[in-house]
Amino acid sequence: MATDTRRRVKLYTLNDDRQWDDRGTGHVSSSYVERLKGMCLLVRAESDGSLLLESKILIDTAYQKQQDTLIVWSETDNYDLALSFQEKAGCDEIWEKICQVQGKDPSRDITQDLVEESEDEHFETMPDTVPAIELPACELSRLEEISELIQSVLPSPIRREKVSVALENEGYLKKLIEVFHMCEDLENTEGLHHLYEIFKNIFLLNKNSLFEIMFADEMIFDVIGCLEYDPSLAQPTRHRKYLRSTARFKEVIPITNNALRQKIHQTYRVQYIQDVVLPTPSVFEENMLSTLTSFIFFNKVEIVSMLQDDEQYLTELFSKLKDDNTDEITRRDLVLFLKEFCIFSQTLQPLSRDSFFKTLSSMGILQALEITLGVEADDVRSASIDILSYVVEFSPSMVREFILQQSNTQEDDQLFINLVIEQMIYDTDPELGSAMQLMGIIRLLIDPENMMATVNKTEKTEFLSFFYKHSMHVLTAALLANTADDKPNKDDYQTAQLLSLILELLSFCVEHHTYHMKNYILSKDLLRRVLVLLKSRHTFLVLCALRFMRRIIGLKEDFYNRYIIRGNLFQPIFDAFKQNGKRYNLLNSAILEMFEFIKLEDMKALVGHIVENYQKLIETVDYVQTFKSLKLRYEQQQDRHKDRSPLDSVPSLFRNNRFRKDARALDEDEEMWFNEDDDDEAGKENEHQESLLNRSPLGISVKSPPVLLNNFTNGNGSSSPPPPPLNSPSSPSAPEVVESPVKKAGGLVGLVDYPDDDDSEEDDGGEESDDSPASKRPRLST
């Protein structure tokens, strides 16, 4: 495989959105492939030598050479390929090979005339029958004729190609520029209008070789000058004046590479032509400017690559950014330059972009952003947020790793993540534009979906534990401070906007951080504090608070349900519902939807709590059936409890196994033992969560049989003493399951028997009580 840089290339393919996708970097060669029976272009990957491209050089394929380092062609009607060479010499070598196979002149930049499908058949049979187009003499008196000729060839690909060749030859474009100077000197408005039409249509020829001539340093301003005289405008637009005087290129760090500087100037001016100077293209014309878009795209790729390879330049850039002695104006220019650098990097494909951001990380971009995010100047801070957004969107793990490394050496108030949160909270913009952008960044950083798991560690566990320990209190500080009383302390628009952003993040945490968020909500009684915001005068904030509770209820976890019931946290909801009255608005619909969800999911504990505590209020709501259905469901549930026998009220876990009818009862046992959170960190973590919630009738632990058995009564209504815990030192040995039926004097008994039953009965009084449950004696007698 070739290792010299002359043959080093990037392979691109054009996707359906007319954007170039990077397929990898490798080395290109041309050789005969027996399987394809012909000479082929082969590209082997630089990393592992795998074959990235194997393309047979066909006689009738149109290859184009662009910008001295690009070769572009189409394999099929919808599959365009491009090779971007590192060096011009390598491009020239491969171009000569292609021209040699096709028998074409390598001095030309295209091997075939481009043809539309409608002209294929005619062109295949008579490719040379279309005569060369001879342009009129380039004179002031013939400008209208030249304009009409170029306009007439646009619908025909063959004639467009012929005109392009004619314009390239004999320096015709330079002659047009000379006529332009003459018209400007004579103030010949009619001639200037014709020149505008001529150059506008030259762009629509979509010819890269013409672009290279027009965008050269000595000609580009004159081309822009021709496009200033739009006939539809009363006065010409002074684009040249703007580019020369207003839009000046600042070299905050001198660029010693002249080729790089020229490429930056050229790209900016061409982008300005596309975005500002040229009129908005129609759908038809937009497709005819694809080569101009590609020209800009490859220029940006080249600029990023040249800057990335200039280690000395980047080192100086970041050292100045991180230097405390750098003055504000210089730091501002450095940050704005870095932002442009990152914007250009968006043209790169994932592999190249990964390399780009790794380079920035190694140079210390996050350390630099720590400084620039705290700058008072709004434009510097805004540009820093944009840069951070690019970095986090591409590689949140890289930022998380940096934050975790900080935790070993810095205090909480100096952590990068806390700096970002504080910037969000203290955003001075009344509309909180930067705060919204920072909220999105924080959300990406705490999203477990983009966290990686390795053999040695889990990023999710490590980072979330860190975040809740060191940063969660910073995020919720403003919320907790504003809800210390029974109504919001501050209720202005900006505060409400900020609290809505914080609530959006907390709602995200409820849904995605199951274990950590449970602990935090209980330890801070967070839901109660959030529901204080239902008294805000800003409806959007009231809805955010309601949405937070709806997310909690939507998890359908008994743990949260017991917390809501014990804290009577539906009271603020019903207060807001009552305050809203019968107004049919978004708040009304959102509250009703929450109760409808509780009804549809048959959340028995919540249904019972709502009906028992708010019956008078819900009976007044008759314009929807939600509350009537809730009450009906509650009554049905109560009827089932009444019909249940005394034995049925005892959890099957503590019944004697001899009364088990079938194996289905095992499901209830398992449900009792395993009805706990299925989060990744269950077990001890759930026990800790339960300890945070004070015991209540709805918070009974199934792991404490004596507590449950204390509630059992014997037949005469008195409480029977609880037996000792199973397998405790004072209890009989654990029950043994006997494989076959056991015979006793009284006849056959169940499949499971307790050998020490007789002893236990003697200890309890020596005689069997006549007050045993009515359902028990008939079963023993059968």
Side-chain angles (χ1 to χ4, degrees):
M1 182 177 68
T3 57
D4 60 299
T5 57
R6 289 183 309 161
R7 297 290 184 90
R8 190 168 184 261
V9 296
K10 278 186 177 293
L11 175 65
Y12 293 93
T13 60
L14 195 65
N15 60 30
D16 294 338
D17 297 326
R18 308 301 296 172
Q19 298 294 322
W20 289 101
D21 291 337
D22 188 347
R23 295 302 183 187
T25 302
H27 292 83
V28 63
S29 61
S30 61
S31 59
Y32 184 85
V33 176
E34 181 65 30
R35 179 172 57 82
L36 298 177
K37 305 295 183 183
M39 292 294 292
C40 296
L41 294 177
L42 305 175
V43 178
R44 294 194 176 276
E46 189 174 55
S47 56
D48 56 8
S50 60
L51 192 63
L52 298 178
L53 174 70
E54 184 181 63
S55 174
K56 183 178 180 181
I57 303 174
L58 301 175
I59 299 298
D60 56 351
T61 297
Y63 292 85
Q64 294 183 68
K65 187 169 73 166
Q66 302 177 3
Q67 304 180 43
D68 293 332
T69 57
L70 281 173
I71 296 177
V72 182
W73 74 99
S74 296
E75 293 278 294
T76 61
D77 290 340
N78 298 314
Y79 190 60
D80 293 345
L81 294 162
L83 291 177
S84 176
F85 289 78
Q86 181 171 329
E87 296 184 9
K88 179 179 181 298
C91 183
D92 291 341
E93 288 179 10
I94 295 299
W95 183 250
E96 288 177 5
K97 293 283 187 183
I98 294 171
C99 292
Q100 182 181 348
V101 173
Q102 292 194 338
K104 301 294 181 179
D105 181 6
S107 63
R108 293 190 58 189
D109 289 341
I110 188 167
T111 62
Q112 306 286 340
D113 288 327
L114 296 177
V115 203
E116 292 288 346
E117 185 176 349
S118 58
E119 297 176 341
D120 280 350
E121 184 177 352
H122 175 73
F123 189 66
E124 286 175 3
T125 55
M126 304 180 65
D128 298 322
T129 55
V130 179
I133 294 177
E134 185 175 346
L135 295 171
C138 192
E139 298 173 356
L140 179 59
S141 59
R142 306 191 69 177
L143 287 178
E144 184 176 4
E145 185 180 348
I146 297 170
S147 177
E148 290 175 354
L149 174 62
I150 297 177
Q151 175 72 34
S152 67
V153 304
L154 292 179
S156 168
I158 299 174
R159 290 172 60 78
R160 284 205 307 267
E161 179 63 29
K162 297 292 184 182
V163 167
S164 299
V165 172
L167 288 170
E168 291 178 49
N169 295 336
E170 302 175 4
Y172 200 88
L173 290 175
K174 291 184 179 179
K175 293 177 183 178
L176 285 172
I177 295 300
E178 291 173 2
V179 175
F180 166 69
H181 291 155
M182 187 187 307
C183 289
E184 275 205 316
D185 293 339
L186 298 174
E187 297 184 357
N188 187 330
T189 304
E190 183 181 0
L192 292 171
H193 287 170
H194 287 313
L195 284 165
Y196 171 87
E197 296 292 342
I198 289 170
F199 275 93
K200 186 192 78 170
N201 290 327
I202 288 175
F203 275 91
L204 296 178
L205 292 174
N206 209 27
K207 183 69 173 174
N208 191 76
S209 55
L210 293 177
F211 292 155
E212 290 180 353
I213 297 171
M214 292 192 295
F215 298 155
D217 287 346
E218 63 274 10
M219 190 177 287
I220 188 167
F221 275 100
D222 292 322
V223 173
I224 293 171
C226 293
L227 295 172
E228 289 180 352
Y229 294 93
D230 186 348
S232 63
L233 301 177
Q235 295 293 329
T237 308
R238 303 301 181 187
H239 296 300
R240 286 173 291 175
K241 181 180 179 181
Y242 172 79
L243 290 172
R244 283 176 172 148
S245 59
T246 307
R248 292 186 175 181
F249 179 63
K250 290 185 178 180
E251 292 187 59
V252 286
I253 296 175
I255 297 176
T256 57
N257 188 334
N258 289 330
L260 173 59
R261 187 188 297 106
Q262 290 176 355
K263 188 68 69 176
I264 291 173
H265 285 313
Q266 183 190 61
T267 304
Y268 175 79
R269 292 162 184 166
V270 176
Q271 187 81 62
Y272 183 84
I273 290 173
Q274 184 186 47
D275 295 343
V276 180
V277 179
L278 288 175
T280 304
S282 64
V283 175
F284 170 71
E285 292 173 337
E286 190 172 12
N287 294 329
M288 299 176 72
L289 290 172
S290 59
T291 304
L292 180 62
T293 303
S294 296
F295 186 96
I296 296 170
F297 170 83
F298 286 113
N299 264 20
K300 289 181 177 180
V301 170
E302 194 170 347
I303 289 170
V304 173
S305 299
M306 293 169 77
L307 282 171
Q308 190 176 340
D309 294 339
D310 193 341
E311 188 173 343
Q312 181 180 352
Y313 185 87
L314 291 180
T315 302
E316 187 176 354
L317 170 69
F318 283 103
S319 63
K320 282 192 174 184
L321 268 177
K322 292 182 284 187
D323 188 354
D324 293 335
N325 297 322
T326 302
D327 62 88
E328 292 183 6
I329 296 176
T330 302
R331 180 171 279 115
R332 172 184 174 275
D333 292 339
L334 288 167
V335 171
L336 293 177
F337 173 79
L338 186 57
K339 176 186 173 182
E340 289 294 316
F341 193 23
C342 290
I343 291 173
F344 272 31
S345 74
Q346 300 307 297
T347 61
L348 301 175
Q349 296 304 311
L351 288 175
S352 301
R353 211 180 308 166
D354 182 57
S355 172
F356 171 79
F357 283 111
K358 283 181 178 177
T359 300
L360 294 189
S361 177
S362 65
M363 292 290 176
I365 188 170
L366 294 174
Q367 291 90 334
L369 288 175
E370 275 189 294
I371 298 172
T372 58
L373 279 171
V375 173
E376 292 183 1
D378 291 339
D379 53 352
V380 176
R381 193 166 60 250
S382 176
S384 301
I385 293 171
D386 289 336
I387 295 168
L388 178 60
S389 178
Y390 290 127
V391 175
V392 172
E393 284 176 8
F394 185 77
S395 181
S397 291
M398 182 177 76
V399 182
R400 283 193 288 261
E401 184 179 357
F402 171 74
I403 293 169
L404 289 173
Q405 289 172 354
Q406 278 190 322
S407 64
N408 299 322
T409 58
Q410 296 188 5
E411 298 295 329
D412 285 1
D413 58 351
Q414 297 177 329
L415 293 173
F416 184 72
I417 182 69
N418 290 347
L419 172 64
V420 173
I421 294 172
E422 288 171 359
Q423 287 295 319
M424 180 187 82
I425 292 173
Y426 298 113
D427 186 11
T428 56
D429 179 9
E431 297 297 327
L432 297 184
S434 296
M436 292 182 68
Q437 195 173 358
L438 288 167
M439 186 269 290
I441 291 172
I442 296 168
R443 181 169 174 164
L444 278 173
L445 289 175
I446 62 175
D447 186 358
E449 296 297 324
N450 61 46
M451 295 183 184
M452 299 182 296
T454 61
V455 176
N456 299 323
K457 64 176 183 178
T458 303
E459 186 182 19
K460 175 182 174 182
T461 303
E462 188 175 0
F463 186 79
L464 290 184
S465 297
F466 162 84
F467 179 78
Y468 278 85
K469 181 178 180 181
H470 299 280
S471 301
M472 195 60 165
H473 66 280
V474 182
L475 178 62
T476 58
L479 171 65
L480 296 177
N482 204 45
T483 56
D485 301 322
D486 60 350
K487 64 179 181 178
N489 295 332
K490 292 179 64 178
D491 202 22
D492 58 279
Y493 176 76
Q494 189 167 356
T495 302
Q497 279 277 75
L498 173 63
L499 294 178
S500 71
L501 294 179
I502 294 174
L503 280 176
E504 187 169 341
L505 279 174
L506 294 178
S507 298
F508 177 84
C509 293
V510 165
E511 196 169 358
H512 293 84
H513 304 164
T514 312
Y515 164 67
H516 293 89
M517 198 57 185
K518 277 183 187 176
N519 281 344
Y520 196 81
I521 287 175
L522 290 176
S523 64
K524 301 292 184 183
D525 199 8
L526 187 62
L527 180 55
R528 183 185 303 279
R529 304 293 286 272
V530 168
L531 293 179
V532 171
L533 299 176
L534 292 175
K535 296 180 181 179
S536 170
R537 61 189 178 90
H538 300 283
T539 305
F540 69 87
L541 181 58
V542 174
L543 290 169
C544 286
L546 185 63
R547 189 182 306 121
F548 181 74
M549 184 168 184
R550 176 64 176 81
R551 289 282 177 86
I552 291 176
I553 292 175
L555 295 177
K556 299 185 291 186
E557 292 191 11
D558 290 340
F559 187 79
Y560 276 129
N561 294 346
R562 292 194 294 270
Y563 166 65
I564 291 170
I565 292 169
R566 182 170 178 78
N568 196 26
L569 296 180
F570 276 113
Q571 185 64 54
I573 301 293
F574 279 105
D575 289 344
F577 185 69
K578 186 177 180 180
Q579 181 70 27
N580 189 61
K582 293 189 176 181
R583 287 192 291 271
Y584 182 61
N585 53 19
L586 189 56
L587 177 59
N588 176 274
S589 298
I591 294 176
L592 290 176
E593 188 278 334
M594 182 167 67
F595 289 114
E596 185 72 19
F597 176 82
I598 293 171
K599 181 199 74 174
L600 292 175
E601 295 298 326
D602 196 16
M603 302 171 76
K604 295 180 176 60
L606 295 184
V607 170
H609 174 74
I610 292 167
V611 175
E612 289 172 2
N613 291 275
Y614 307 101
Q615 184 169 352
K616 290 184 178 180
L617 177 59
I618 65 177
E619 285 177 348
T620 64
V621 181
D622 55 3
Y623 54 90
V624 291
Q625 299 299 312
T626 301
F627 292 118
K628 289 183 180 179
S629 301
L630 272 177
K631 185 178 179 183
L632 177 62
R633 184 151 296 186
Y634 170 76
E635 291 171 350
Q636 292 172 345
Q637 181 180 331
Q638 293 300 106
D639 291 341
R640 283 195 295 270
H641 279 299
K642 291 177 182 178
D643 295 340
R644 188 179 300 173
S645 66
L647 182 61
D648 291 336
S649 65
V650 181
S652 63
L653 182 64
F654 308 114
R655 299 177 199 161
N656 191 314
N657 285 343
R658 71 184 70 181
F659 302 119
R660 179 174 294 159
K661 291 183 178 181
D662 52 44
R664 286 178 296 177
L666 181 62
D667 296 338
E668 191 177 350
D669 295 346
E670 292 175 344
E671 185 178 356
M672 290 290 292
W673 282 107
F674 299 108
N675 188 18
E676 297 189 13
D677 191 87
D678 290 334
D679 193 54
D680 298 337
E681 297 165 300
K684 291 183 180 180
E685 298 168 348
N686 280 308
E687 292 177 10
H688 174 59
Q689 292 166 5
E690 292 290 349
S691 69
L692 292 172
L693 186 62
N694 292 330
R695 296 297 178 189
S696 68
L698 290 166
I700 295 171
S701 171
V702 298
K703 296 186 178 181
S704 305
V707 177
L708 287 176
L709 294 176
N710 277 336
N711 294 327
F712 300 163
T713 59
N714 55 26
N716 58 19
S718 61
S719 297
S720 59
L726 297 178
N727 295 329
S728 68
S730 62
S731 67
S733 59
E736 295 181 4
V737 178
V738 183
E739 297 297 335
S740 59
V742 179
K743 289 187 178 181
K744 297 182 85 173
L748 285 176
V749 297
L751 293 179
V752 181
D753 190 32
Y754 294 84
D756 297 329
D757 273 354
D758 296 337
D759 297 336
S760 299
E761 290 169 359
E762 291 174 2
D763 293 340
D764 290 338
E767 293 181 2
E768 187 176 7
S769 172
D770 293 331
D771 294 326
S772 55
S775 59
K776 180 175 181 180
R777 195 175 296 278
R779 293 196 185 191
L780 288 174
S781 63
T782 56

